[in-house]
Coordinates of all heavy atoms in Angstrom, one line a residue:
P166 N 31.2 -45.5 -56.1 CA 32.2 -44.6 -55.5 C 33.4 -44.4 -56.5 O 33.9 -43.3 -56.7 CB 32.7 -45.3 -54.2 CG 31.5 -46.1 -53.8 CD 30.9 -46.6 -55.1
L233 N 18.7 -47.7 -51.3 CA 19.4 -46.5 -50.7 C 18.4 -45.8 -49.8 O 17.2 -45.8 -50.0 CB 19.8 -45.6 -51.8 CG 21.0 -46.1 -52.7 CD1 21.2 -45.1 -53.8 CD2 22.2 -46.3 -51.9
V239 N 18.7 -45.2 -41.6 CA 19.4 -46.5 -41.5 C 19.7 -46.8 -40.1 O 19.4 -47.9 -39.5 CB 20.7 -46.4 -42.3 CG1 21.5 -47.7 -42.1 CG2 20.4 -46.3 -43.8
F240 N 20.2 -45.8 -39.3 CA 20.6 -46.0 -38.0 C 19.4 -46.0 -37.0 O 19.4 -46.7 -36.0 CB 21.7 -45.0 -37.5 CG 23.0 -45.3 -38.1 CD1 23.4 -44.7 -39.3 CD2 23.9 -46.2 -37.5 CE1 24.7 -45.0 -39.8 CE2 25.1 -46.5 -38.0 CZ 25.5 -45.9 -39.2
V260 N 29.8 -53.4 -36.0 CA 29.4 -52.6 -37.2 C 29.5 -51.1 -36.9 O 30.1 -50.3 -37.6 CB 28.0 -52.9 -37.7 CG1 27.5 -51.9 -38.7 CG2 28.0 -54.3 -38.3
V264 N 32.2 -48.3 -38.5 CA 31.8 -47.0 -39.2 C 32.5 -45.9 -38.5 O 33.1 -45.0 -39.2 CB 30.3 -46.8 -39.1 CG1 29.9 -45.4 -39.7 CG2 29.6 -47.9 -40.0
V287 N 37.9 -43.3 -49.9 CA 37.4 -43.8 -48.6 C 36.1 -43.0 -48.2 O 35.2 -43.7 -47.7 CB 38.5 -43.5 -47.5 CG1 38.0 -43.8 -46.1 CG2 39.7 -44.3 -47.8
A288 N 36.1 -41.7 -48.5 CA 34.9 -41.0 -48.2 C 33.7 -41.5 -49.0 O 32.6 -41.6 -48.4 CB 35.1 -39.5 -48.5
L289 N 33.8 -41.8 -50.2 CA 32.7 -42.2 -51.1 C 32.3 -43.6 -50.7 O 31.1 -43.9 -50.7 CB 33.1 -42.2 -52.5 CG 33.3 -40.8 -53.1 CD1 34.0 -40.8 -54.5 CD2 31.9 -40.1 -53.3
V290 N 33.2 -44.5 -50.4 CA 32.8 -45.9 -49.9 C 32.1 -45.8 -48.6 O 31.0 -46.5 -48.4 CB 34.0 -46.8 -49.8 CG1 33.7 -48.1 -49.1 CG2 34.7 -47.1 -51.1
L291 N 32.5 -44.9 -47.7 CA 31.9 -44.8 -46.4 C 30.5 -44.2 -46.6 O 29.5 -44.7 -46.0 CB 32.7 -43.8 -45.5 CG 32.2 -43.6 -44.1 CD1 32.2 -44.9 -43.3 CD2 33.2 -42.6 -43.4
A292 N 30.3 -43.2 -47.5 CA 29.0 -42.6 -47.7 C 28.0 -43.7 -48.3 O 26.9 -43.8 -47.9 CB 29.1 -41.4 -48.7
L293 N 28.5 -44.4 -49.3 CA 27.6 -45.4 -49.9 C 27.2 -46.5 -48.9 O 26.0 -46.9 -48.9 CB 28.3 -46.1 -51.1 CG 27.5 -47.2 -51.8 CD1 26.3 -46.7 -52.5 CD2 28.4 -48.0 -52.8
T294 N 28.1 -46.9 -48.0 CA 27.8 -47.9 -47.0 C 26.8 -47.4 -46.0 O 25.8 -48.1 -45.7 CB 29.1 -48.3 -46.3 OG1 30.0 -48.8 -47.2 CG2 28.8 -49.3 -45.2
V295 N 26.9 -46.1 -45.6 CA 26.0 -45.6 -44.6 C 24.6 -45.3 -45.2 O 23.6 -45.5 -44.6 CB 26.6 -44.3 -44.0 CG1 25.6 -43.6 -43.1 CG2 27.9 -44.6 -43.2
F296 N 24.6 -44.9 -46.5 CA 23.3 -44.6 -47.1 C 22.6 -45.9 -47.6 O 21.4 -45.7 -48.0 CB 23.6 -43.7 -48.4 CG 23.6 -42.3 -48.0 CD1 24.8 -41.7 -47.5 CD2 22.6 -41.4 -48.3 CE1 24.9 -40.4 -47.2 CE2 22.6 -40.1 -47.9 CZ 23.8 -39.5 -47.4
T297 N 23.2 -47.0 -47.6 CA 22.5 -48.2 -48.0 C 21.7 -48.9 -46.9 O 22.3 -49.2 -45.9 CB 23.5 -49.2 -48.6 OG1 24.2 -48.6 -49.7 CG2 22.8 -50.5 -49.2
E298 N 20.4 -49.1 -47.1 CA 19.6 -49.7 -46.1 C 19.7 -51.2 -46.3 O 20.1 -51.7 -47.4 CB 18.2 -49.3 -46.3 CG 17.9 -47.8 -45.9 CD 16.4 -47.5 -45.9 OE1 15.6 -48.4 -45.6 OE2 16.1 -46.4 -46.2
G299 N 19.3 -51.9 -45.3 CA 19.3 -53.4 -45.3 C 20.7 -54.0 -45.0 O 21.7 -53.4 -45.2
F300 N 20.6 -55.2 -44.4 CA 21.8 -55.9 -44.0 C 22.8 -55.0 -43.2 O 24.0 -54.9 -43.5 CB 22.6 -56.5 -45.2 CG 21.8 -57.5 -45.9 CD1 21.0 -57.2 -47.0 CD2 21.8 -58.8 -45.5 CE1 20.2 -58.2 -47.6 CE2 21.1 -59.8 -46.1 CZ 20.3 -59.5 -47.2
F301 N 22.2 -54.4 -42.1 CA 23.0 -53.6 -41.3 C 24.3 -54.3 -40.8 O 25.4 -53.7 -40.7 CB 22.2 -53.1 -40.1 CG 22.9 -52.0 -39.2 CD1 22.8 -50.7 -39.6 CD2 23.6 -52.4 -38.1 CE1 23.5 -49.8 -38.8 CE2 24.2 -51.5 -37.3 CZ 24.2 -50.1 -37.7
S303 N 26.1 -56.2 -42.2 CA 27.1 -56.4 -43.2 C 27.9 -55.1 -43.6 O 28.8 -55.1 -44.4 CB 26.5 -56.9 -44.5 OG 25.9 -58.2 -44.3
K304 N 27.6 -54.0 -42.9 CA 28.2 -52.8 -43.3 C 29.7 -52.8 -43.1 O 30.5 -52.1 -43.8 CB 27.5 -51.6 -42.6 CG 26.1 -51.3 -43.1 CD 25.5 -50.1 -42.4 CE 24.1 -49.8 -43.0 NZ 24.1 -49.6 -44.4
A305 N 30.2 -53.5 -42.0 CA 31.6 -53.5 -41.8 C 32.3 -54.2 -43.0 O 33.4 -53.9 -43.4 CB 31.9 -54.2 -40.5
R306 N 31.6 -55.3 -43.6 CA 32.2 -56.0 -44.7 C 32.2 -55.0 -46.0 O 33.1 -55.1 -46.8 CB 31.3 -57.2 -45.0 CG 31.6 -57.9 -46.3 CD 31.1 -59.3 -46.4 NE 29.6 -59.4 -46.3 CZ 28.8 -59.4 -47.3 NH1 29.3 -59.4 -48.5 NH2 27.5 -59.5 -47.1
F307 N 31.1 -54.2 -46.1 CA 31.0 -53.3 -47.2 C 32.1 -52.3 -47.2 O 32.4 -51.6 -48.2 CB 29.7 -52.7 -47.3 CG 28.5 -53.7 -47.5 CD1 27.2 -53.3 -47.1 CD2 28.7 -54.9 -48.1 CE1 26.2 -54.2 -47.3 CE2 27.7 -55.8 -48.2 CZ 26.4 -55.5 -47.8
L308 N 32.7 -52.0 -46.0 CA 33.8 -51.0 -45.9 C 35.1 -51.6 -46.2 O 36.1 -50.8 -46.3 CB 33.8 -50.5 -44.5 CG 32.6 -49.5 -44.1 CD1 32.6 -49.3 -42.6 CD2 32.7 -48.2 -44.9
L309 N 35.3 -52.8 -46.4 CA 36.6 -53.4 -46.7 C 37.3 -52.8 -48.0 O 38.5 -52.7 -48.0 CB 36.5 -54.9 -46.8 CG 36.3 -55.7 -45.5 CD1 36.1 -57.2 -45.8 CD2 37.4 -55.5 -44.6
P310 N 36.6 -52.4 -49.0 CA 37.3 -51.8 -50.2 C 37.9 -50.5 -49.8 O 38.8 -50.0 -50.6 CB 36.1 -51.6 -51.2 CG 35.1 -52.6 -50.8 CD 35.1 -52.7 -49.3
A311 N 37.6 -49.9 -48.7 CA 38.2 -48.6 -48.3 C 39.5 -48.9 -47.5 O 39.8 -48.2 -46.5 CB 37.2 -47.8 -47.4

Side-chain angles (χ1 to χ4, degrees):
L233 291 178
V239 173
F240 284 93
V260 169
V264 172
V287 173
L289 289 167
V290 171
L291 185 59
L293 178 66
T294 301
V295 172
F296 274 78
T297 301
E298 292 186 33
F300 293 96
F301 186 86
S303 298
K304 289 188 180 296
R306 170 164 63 94
F307 298 156
L308 287 169
L309 287 176

